């Protein structure tokens, strides 16, 4: 029986309402009560839900469960950043990172076990791809972080910038984002939920219609020749297609902008000419550029651009009418910074874009 029980964690409101109606012949307000318990009060057990009638709770426990991922390890950075490694099943693990700042608390969550996009400068790519996370596994990361964080630490922002390409797991990512923004879920405005993509253009058009959250795009190069190398999906969806999708997305939001992520790789994409090319692409557009100092990881062939180079790059952009900021690196002492999340991916199916897959996959990162 237990195997047939539906996991309520992550069910968007409409699905939960349908579930209680069909399986329990209950009114929609029961679904709303359940959501408050699960997300606001962090309940994982029907027995604590004291405003639900006893017999309803018993019937509920027969057909449903609230099943959350398990934390297998936690690390804390000297800067307050926390990283949890979560067990997804017997062998797979993913990582979730909390980044506290004076005015906000950002939770960086994963959407896949590993990643198939094969970006050359990213630690997750080295792990290969294993599988998509379920809705419960995506929402479960937020549920667990809520439980673990002591007051007054709060989650004010969620970024899908952990392991995986969220738009490659569209089917599960969109319902999860509905729970993040539902006032009975985590009640975040759509501006405070950011999806970052390496550039899956068709899904960007779909997302614009269906769940218009804040958008971040991993650009990393100002021309196709270089981007084909660094972000192999560019061979399928080149920069002009990608940017057209971005401007369409923003048209649908009236008045916000896309954040373009640009990792600063020493001698690769950090020359003044690159900054000028970027400015030509983005000037006059609803765009902000976030320069990310490259975070090194074992086995990488890249180096971080020197601080002076990054500053100069930013200044050229600003002088040419593009807003650019430098992302402060957080949590790098515990390998929790951008691109350092490696989790534990075994059973890789070695589904990767690009052709430079080498036989020697690196062993899983130790947490
Ligand atoms: N797959 C999505 C979500 C990952 S977001 C995407 O590509 O957008 C993680 C961000 O960190 C992306 O912008 C990614 O390009 C960047 N990143 C990856 N490796 C990095 C590294 N080693 N140093 C700094 N940033 C990195």
């Amino acid at each position: 029986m237990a195997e047939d029980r539906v996991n309520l964690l992550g069910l968007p409101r409409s699905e939960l309402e349908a579930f209680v109606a069909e399986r329990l012949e209950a009114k929609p307000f029961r679904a709303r009560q359940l959501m408050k318990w699960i997300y606001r009060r962090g309940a994982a057990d029907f027995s604590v839900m004291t405003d639900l009638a006893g017999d309803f709770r018993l019937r509920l426990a027969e057909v449903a469960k609230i099943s959350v991922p398990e934390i297998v390890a936690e690390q804390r950075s000297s800067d307050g950043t926390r990283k949890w490694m979560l067990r997804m099943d017997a062998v797979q693990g993913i990582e979730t990172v909390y980044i506290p700042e004076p005015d906000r608390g950002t939770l960086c969550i994963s959407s896949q076990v590993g990643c198939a996009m094969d970006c050359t400068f990213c630690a997750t790519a080295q792990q290969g791809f294993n599988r998509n996370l379920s809705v419960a596994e995506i929402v479960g990361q937020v549920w667990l972080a809520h439980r673990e964080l002591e007051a007054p630490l709060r989650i004010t922002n969620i970024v899908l910038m952990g392991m995986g390409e969220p738009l490659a797991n569209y089917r599960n990512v969109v319902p999860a984002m509905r729970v993040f923004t539902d006032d009975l879920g985590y009640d975040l405005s759509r501006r405070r939920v950011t999806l970052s993509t390496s550039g899956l253009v068709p899904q960007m058009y779909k997302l614009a219609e269906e769940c218009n959250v804040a958008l971040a795009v991993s650009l990393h190069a100002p021309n196709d020749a270089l981007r084909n190398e660094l972000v192999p999906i560019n061979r399928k969806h080149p920069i002009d297609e990608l940017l057209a999708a971005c401007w369409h997305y923003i048209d649908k939001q009236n008045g916000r902008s896309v954040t373009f992520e640009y990792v600063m790789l020493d001698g690769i994409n950090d020359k003044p000419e690159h900054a000028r090319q970027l400015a030509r692409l983005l000037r006059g557009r609803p765009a902000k550029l976030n320069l990310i100092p490259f975070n090194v990881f074992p086995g990488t062939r890249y180096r971080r651009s020197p601080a002076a180079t990054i500053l100069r790059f930013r200044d050229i952009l600003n002088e040419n009418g593009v807003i650019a900021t430098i992302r402060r690196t957080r949590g790098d002492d515990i390998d929790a910074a951008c691109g350092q999340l490696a989790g534990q991916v075994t059973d890789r199916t070695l589904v990767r874009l690009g052709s430079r897959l080498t036989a020697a996959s690196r062993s899983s990162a130790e947490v």
Side-chain angles (χ1 to χ4, degrees):
M1 176 204 68
E3 293 69 36
D4 296 334
R5 289 183 301 163
V6 172
N7 190 359
L8 302 188
L9 185 67
L11 284 193
R13 191 192 299 212
S14 56
E15 284 179 36
L16 193 57
E17 286 175 352
F19 177 81
V20 298
E22 284 158 24
R23 299 294 294 274
L24 298 158
E25 286 156 22
K27 295 252 166 14
F29 81 92
R30 293 289 177 208
R32 296 199 288 273
Q33 281 176 308
L34 279 167
M35 286 189 80
K36 280 192 204 160
W37 276 108
I38 297 172
Y39 304 112
R40 295 225 184 124
R41 301 187 202 153
D45 188 338
F46 300 121
S47 65
V48 303
M49 302 182 178
T50 44
D51 58 353
L52 300 176
D55 66 325
F56 181 74
R57 278 187 266 153
L58 287 178
R59 281 191 295 136
L60 198 53
E62 281 169 16
V63 296
K65 60 183 176 179
I66 302 163
S67 167
V68 296
E70 183 195 340
I71 297 177
V72 287
E74 175 180 354
Q75 287 176 292
R76 292 185 192 220
S77 161
S78 54
D79 69 12
T81 299
R82 292 169 70 171
K83 179 169 86 165
W84 295 282
M85 167 122 160
L86 309 182
R87 192 197 307 284
M88 291 293 125
D89 48 46
V91 287
Q92 313 297 345
I94 55 115
E95 294 176 337
T96 304
V97 179
Y98 179 73
I99 306 147
E101 286 171 275
D103 58 338
R104 67 165 87 182
T106 303
L107 192 71
C108 177
I109 63 171
S110 297
S111 55
Q112 299 181 311
V113 182
C115 187
M117 305 314 292
D118 211 14
C119 300
T120 51
F121 51 85
C122 180
T124 307
Q126 292 203 347
Q127 304 290 313
F129 172 73
N130 180 268
R131 68 171 174 86
N132 284 328
L133 296 185
S134 68
V135 187
E137 289 167 336
I138 299 169
V139 174
Q141 297 172 60
V142 184
W143 191 97
L144 282 172
H146 258 285
R147 189 188 70 189
E148 294 299 307
L149 294 169
E150 301 94 24
L153 293 177
R154 289 202 324 121
I155 298 168
T156 61
N157 295 66
I158 295 176
V159 296
L160 284 106
M161 295 189 185
M163 295 169 68
E165 168 49 56
L167 290 184
N169 186 14
Y170 191 96
R171 203 165 59 91
N172 294 331
V173 161
V174 167
M177 295 196 301
R178 294 203 197 290
V179 172
F180 302 158
T181 54
D182 192 313
D183 56 354
L184 296 176
Y186 291 108
D187 195 20
L188 297 177
S189 92
R190 282 186 301 169
R191 289 162 192 258
R192 290 179 174 273
V193 176
T194 302
L195 181 143
S196 178
T197 181
S198 55
L200 270 62
V201 167
Q203 288 90 332
M204 290 169 70
Y205 281 101
K206 220 166 143 205
L207 192 71
E209 302 301 325
E210 292 175 1
C211 192
N212 204 303
V213 294
L215 182 68
V217 171
S218 292
L219 189 57
H220 305 313
N223 59 64
D224 284 326
L226 188 52
R227 195 163 189 271
N228 284 345
E229 282 304 306
L230 300 176
V231 185
I233 189 71
N234 196 70
R235 298 175 205 164
K236 199 162 170 199
H237 303 297
I239 290 175
D240 59 348
E241 256 184 53
L242 173 63
L243 293 182
C246 290
W247 312 142
H248 170 83
Y249 194 93
I250 293 307
D251 271 351
K252 294 268 161 186
Q253 284 188 331
N254 44 53
R256 289 185 263 159
S257 55
V258 181
T259 302
F260 289 97
E261 294 151 295
Y262 195 97
V263 63
M264 298 296 295
L265 303 170
D266 187 22
I268 306 281
N269 64 353
D270 63 350
K271 308 210 167 89
E273 176 52 23
H274 294 133
R276 285 189 285 270
Q277 283 178 23
L278 266 182
R280 285 196 287 277
L281 289 178
L282 302 182
R283 189 175 15 222
R285 298 292 193 170
K288 281 188 249 173
L289 207 71
N290 202 205
L291 304 176
I292 313 176
F294 174 63
N295 294 308
V296 292
F297 54 88
T300 181
R301 64 184 122 128
Y302 298 112
R303 291 180 313 263
R304 178 184 290 188
S305 306
T309 306
I310 301 179
L311 289 171
R312 171 124 196 266
F313 201 88
R314 180 197 62 189
D315 292 344
I316 295 173
L317 285 158
N318 288 342
E319 284 154 18
N320 285 277
V322 175
I323 302 166
T325 52
I326 300 170
R327 187 180 289 178
R328 201 159 65 113
T329 291
R330 298 288 304 264
D332 54 345
D333 54 343
I334 55 166
D335 285 349
C338 300
Q340 290 185 320
L341 301 188
Q344 189 163 53
V345 184
T346 52
D347 280 349
R348 310 168 185 82
T349 42
L350 297 184
V351 181
R352 288 177 169 188
L353 290 169
S355 50
R356 60 185 88 66
L357 177 59
T358 54
S361 309
R362 189 164 74 88
S363 63
S364 303
E366 280 161 26
V367 171

